[in-house]
Amino acid sequence: MTITAGVPGPTSIAAIVWGNQGGATLNPGASGGFDIGSAATVVFKATDVTSNVLNVDVSGNPSVIAGHLDLDSNNVFIANGNGVIVGPNAVIDISGLNSGGLGQLALIGDNIGTSATELQTVGSNIADILGGANQGVGGNQTSVGVLPLASGSVTIATGAFIGNNKSNDSPMVLVAGSDVNVDGSINADSVSFLTTGTNNTINIGSTGSVGASEVVSINPGVDNATTQNQYVSINDAGIMGAQYSMYMGGTGLYVSDITGSGSLAVGGLTIKNLIGSINNITSGQILANGFQLTTVPNTYDQIVIDAVGTQSQGINLKVNGSAIISTGNTVAVLPNGAAPANANSKLIVQATGTLNVENGGANGVRHADPYNPADNSFQFPGLIYLQSSTQLYDFNDDIVNAYTTNAPVGYGVFLIAPNISDTNPVYANGGRGVVFAAPFDGLYYPTATVNGSGANAGMPPVYFLTTSGPAQSPTFSNANQNAQEGSTFYTFTPG
């Protein structure tokens, strides 16, 4: 079956309402919902590269794509407030989407608007059809009101494939009123996940894979007036990858826990507004609980994480490859000298390749040291454990976790690598240790070579907080390495 839709022009839009209600502008008598049987093939053929096809299923049942769907158009949207299911062995070929980078496929498990005003602004902006300013991604349809949010999910079943086997640009978007479940395969130029509900999960199953030749973006919620959090779960052999960059969260958008035994594969990773934890807890030993992350060789490999939770957080990463780690705009101490709400958090990064410590400010924005404002800083309000199997670098930034004069056991600073290059000061919590050492060998932490000067030579200055004092004028004591190695990992709880 071939559906030819649209007329030439910059606002060419065909709306197909599948069901027994609503005002269709094409195929008004269609009934039974938008469904493709396992033996069926449906082709959307546009009359012009600017054509947009909007399918709205109002049947009251989820839309099921079980066969073959070929897209030869600009934008193709399939929307159903009761959910969208791509069944086992289904194939959606997005190779024919507009190669100019404007065309996209959107699977939408939520209500959308079909008024003339909304349809005339569809274009390439998914926000324009999601029913108003409080839906979509910054939706701008304030003049047509707001549709009730639906709770439909989007499911890609085991064996299903959505992809682009050609070289042209073919982005896709998955929008859900509740969860997105991927047990099949997605392969596109870029992939965006959007959830319009509260506390939804992007779940990549053990047979699921998401691959983007450029960018993957994950954004929870769309209404900045409401706290809408998002969870990400990647299980077993499941994988989510982006050749260049992966983005999660944003202004007014919060990311909760990122967990599972699967993995991320990225050229770079930016997580804004993390309020939960990142880990894969399998043991009472904290170093065994890292979430797997593989960095793409010959890319920038920057990992930026803003930790802004209202309670203690655990960020535990096992990095296969080299990386640049930044804590973004995370703060170790508030401007008034008090501890932040997420004090006593844990940051553990273990890399098989080199590990660089970089200034906390995201996108090159300078993040000043609260205790030495002339310097840039890498801040985190709790344990800082950074380990490389080869070389650890800190070229320009002070490392800061000093928010209390007497931190609990285990909340010191550990820079662990056979070779460490760091001449910048460390401002640490009182009562805990700061350790420069080689990786644990099963018995103890051997001595590291620091700044190329041999064992225990060329050590950077370390300062421990002794009194809180007024903002930016605390009292510190300096100590050498022998006095610093006073913490142990064996009393840690999983994190």
Side-chain angles (χ1 to χ4, degrees):
M1 175 182 181
T2 298
I3 299 176
T4 301
V7 293
T11 59
S12 171
I13 299 158
I16 308 174
V17 179
W18 302 86
N20 296 315
Q21 55 183 314
T25 59
L26 179 68
N27 232 9
S31 62
F34 183 91
D35 297 298
I36 301 175
S38 60
T41 297
V42 173
V43 180
F44 280 105
K45 181 71 174 178
T47 58
D48 185 81
V49 295
T50 63
S51 295
N52 303 291
V53 182
L54 173 59
N55 298 277
V56 184
D57 188 332
V58 295
S59 65
N61 299 308
S63 296
V64 179
I65 301 171
H68 200 117
L69 175 61
D70 287 347
L71 306 180
D72 185 9
S73 183
N74 185 32
N75 293 301
V76 176
F77 303 105
I78 299 168
N80 187 334
N82 291 288
V84 178
I85 299 171
V86 181
N89 303 315
V91 175
I92 301 179
D93 186 349
I94 63 176
S95 301
L97 288 172
N98 183 356
S99 61
L102 299 176
Q104 64 182 348
L105 165 68
L107 302 180
I108 305 169
D110 207 342
N111 290 327
I112 69 170
T114 57
S115 73
T117 303
E118 288 167 312
L119 295 180
Q120 289 303 313
T121 56
V122 171
S124 61
N125 184 3
I126 190 70
D128 293 334
I129 64 169
L130 285 178
N134 293 327
Q135 290 184 254
V137 185
N140 59 13
Q141 292 301 300
T142 56
S143 62
V144 297
V146 178
L147 291 175
L149 285 170
S151 57
S153 62
V154 174
T155 298
I156 313 300
T158 301
F161 174 76
I162 302 175
N164 174 15
N165 294 316
K166 299 180 181 179
S167 60
N168 55 320
D169 296 335
S170 296
M172 71 167 297
V173 180
L174 296 94
V175 182
S178 57
D179 299 335
V180 176
N181 303 296
V182 180
D183 293 299
S185 299
I186 297 175
N187 175 31
D189 177 67
S190 64
V191 182
S192 297
F193 295 87
L194 310 169
T195 56
T196 60
T198 301
N199 297 324
N200 299 144
T201 298
I202 305 299
N203 182 63
I204 311 300
S206 59
T207 59
S209 66
V210 177
S213 58
E214 291 189 4
V215 176
V216 169
S217 62
I218 300 175
N219 285 297
V222 293
D223 183 355
N224 291 354
T226 304
T227 299
Q228 294 171 293
N229 307 326
Q230 190 172 66
Y231 297 81
V232 177
S233 176
I234 304 179
N235 301 305
D236 300 330
I239 186 169
M240 182 183 294
Q243 179 70 27
Y244 291 108
S245 297
M246 185 175 296
Y247 300 94
M248 300 185 187
T251 302
L253 308 176
Y254 297 88
V255 178
S256 296
D257 298 335
I258 302 173
T259 59
S261 54
S263 63
L264 297 177
V266 297
L269 173 65
T270 299
I271 303 175
K272 299 286 291 182
N273 290 332
L274 178 72
I275 61 174
S277 295
I278 306 173
N279 51 37
N280 177 37
I281 296 178
T282 59
S283 165
Q285 221 301 336
I286 193 171
L287 297 183
N289 295 329
F291 183 88
Q292 299 286 336
L293 188 152
T294 297
T295 55
V296 178
N298 302 317
T299 59
Y300 189 44
D301 297 335
Q302 186 181 40
I303 302 169
V304 181
I305 301 174
D306 286 338
V308 297
T310 57
Q311 57 187 356
S312 298
Q313 300 174 254
I315 300 171
N316 197 334
L317 296 174
K318 282 191 173 180
V319 179
N320 179 24
S322 299
I324 302 168
I325 181 69
S326 168
T327 51
N329 294 311
T330 307
V331 297
V333 61
L334 299 176
N336 64 0
N342 59 346
N344 296 335
S345 293
K346 302 181 180 78
L347 172 65
I348 302 98
V349 181
Q350 302 173 78
T352 60
T354 59
L355 185 62
N356 288 12
V357 178
E358 188 169 275
N359 175 31
N363 301 320
V365 178
R366 182 175 175 274
H367 200 188
D369 183 341
Y371 299 118
N372 186 8
D375 289 352
N376 295 332
S377 66
F378 176 99
Q379 298 185 44
F380 192 78
L383 165 69
I384 297 176
Y385 182 96
L386 305 177
Q387 176 176 308
S388 165
S389 296
T390 57
Q391 180 85 39
L392 190 149
Y393 297 97
D394 176 15
F395 291 122
N396 301 306
D397 307 308
D398 300 351
I399 293 176
V400 180
N401 84 333
Y403 54 89
T404 179
T405 60
N406 190 22
V409 171
Y411 290 90
V413 176
F414 293 77
L415 303 183
I416 308 298
N419 298 284
I420 300 172
S421 296
D422 182 10
T423 60
N424 303 288
V426 176
Y427 292 89
N429 286 319
R432 294 303 115 210
V434 174
V435 177
F436 301 85
F440 191 65
D441 65 2
L443 296 175
Y444 59 92
Y445 285 86
T447 300
T449 298
V450 181
N451 295 322
S453 302
N456 298 328
M459 301 295 294
V462 174
Y463 302 93
F464 294 103
L465 188 63
T466 58
T467 60
S468 57
Q472 296 187 347
S473 59
T475 300
F476 282 93
S477 66
N478 184 232
N480 59 31
Q481 186 188 18
N482 292 332
Q484 294 161 23
E485 294 179 346
S487 295
T488 174
F489 288 98
Y490 299 109
T491 59
F492 283 7
T493 56

